[in-house]
Amino acid sequence: MERIGQVIRPLLGGITTGLVVGVLVLDVMLPLELAAGVLYVALVIFSLRSPKRAFTLAVAAACSALIVLDFILHSPPEGNVPMALVNRGLALLAIWATAILALQHRQAQEATKTLQELWPMCPGCKKIRDDKGGWQQLEQYIKTQSDLEFSRALCPECRTRSLPKALA
């Protein structure tokens, strides 16, 4: 499995570099008044194939730098400067919103994966064994592994079993 990763990482980097160059050439060839900078969002999305979060952030930063550099090197005609600024600003916003939301989604998926793993549970008291070998109540374990809070309510079965005893 590690060998596959050694082949895929350089390939992913090469494809990403090729896409960056392609989008850059297209962005430079098109007028600044067009929102071609938004095409960089596709690169940020593609960078999510990498298991490293830093790669996605690096691609987003590189795309942002290229958008700013293109604006500096290819100044728009005088009447279209505001529109070019707005288009570049929207492209930067789209790039960073995509990167941040995608990374947060990946983090949520990782947290969900942790919760989906098998938990060693005592059949008698329903305590869960944690990673350190200690035993915690189910509610406490879930609370420490996530942001979930619990409320108490009786299910219909327990309600019919408990209420007659309480009324007697």
Side-chain angles (χ1 to χ4, degrees):
M1 190 71 164
E2 181 61 33
R3 187 172 179 183
I4 294 172
Q6 290 174 348
V7 173
I8 290 177
R9 282 187 205 112
L11 182 63
L12 184 64
I15 291 172
T16 304
T17 303
L19 287 172
V20 167
V21 170
V23 171
L24 176 63
V25 167
L26 184 63
D27 192 23
V28 168
M29 292 176 68
L30 293 172
L32 286 174
E33 297 84 30
L34 292 177
V38 174
L39 294 174
Y40 288 108
V41 171
L43 298 172
V44 174
I45 292 171
F46 183 75
S47 73
L48 294 171
R49 302 290 297 171
S50 171
K52 298 190 179 203
R53 296 175 195 202
F55 184 69
T56 300
L57 294 174
V59 169
C63 291
S64 299
L66 290 173
I67 285 175
V68 172
L69 184 66
D70 184 42
F71 183 80
I72 292 170
L73 295 179
H74 301 96
S75 58
E78 282 186 34
N80 292 336
V81 172
M83 183 180 289
L85 275 173
V86 167
N87 283 338
R88 296 298 151 169
L90 288 174
L92 290 171
L93 177 69
I95 286 169
W96 285 102
T98 302
I100 290 168
L101 289 173
L103 290 173
Q104 286 180 340
H105 179 71
R106 179 182 284 171
Q107 185 178 8
Q109 282 181 321
E110 290 169 0
T112 302
K113 183 180 175 191
T114 300
L115 289 173
Q116 289 175 343
E117 294 173 354
L118 291 176
W119 297 338
M121 179 188 286
C122 173
C125 65
K126 307 291 188 226
K127 287 185 180 178
I128 303 286
R129 188 176 66 226
D130 60 20
D131 297 337
K132 297 173 186 156
W135 291 87
Q136 297 179 19
Q137 289 291 343
L138 176 64
E139 293 91 346
Q140 185 60 34
Y141 180 79
I142 292 174
K143 195 174 181 180
T144 58
Q145 298 295 318
S146 68
D147 293 331
L148 293 176
E149 293 289 330
F150 287 92
S151 64
R152 302 287 178 208
L154 288 174
C155 71
E157 254 181 65
C158 291
R159 191 175 313 132
T160 57
R161 226 181 307 148
S162 297
L163 284 179
K165 291 177 186 176
L167 295 175

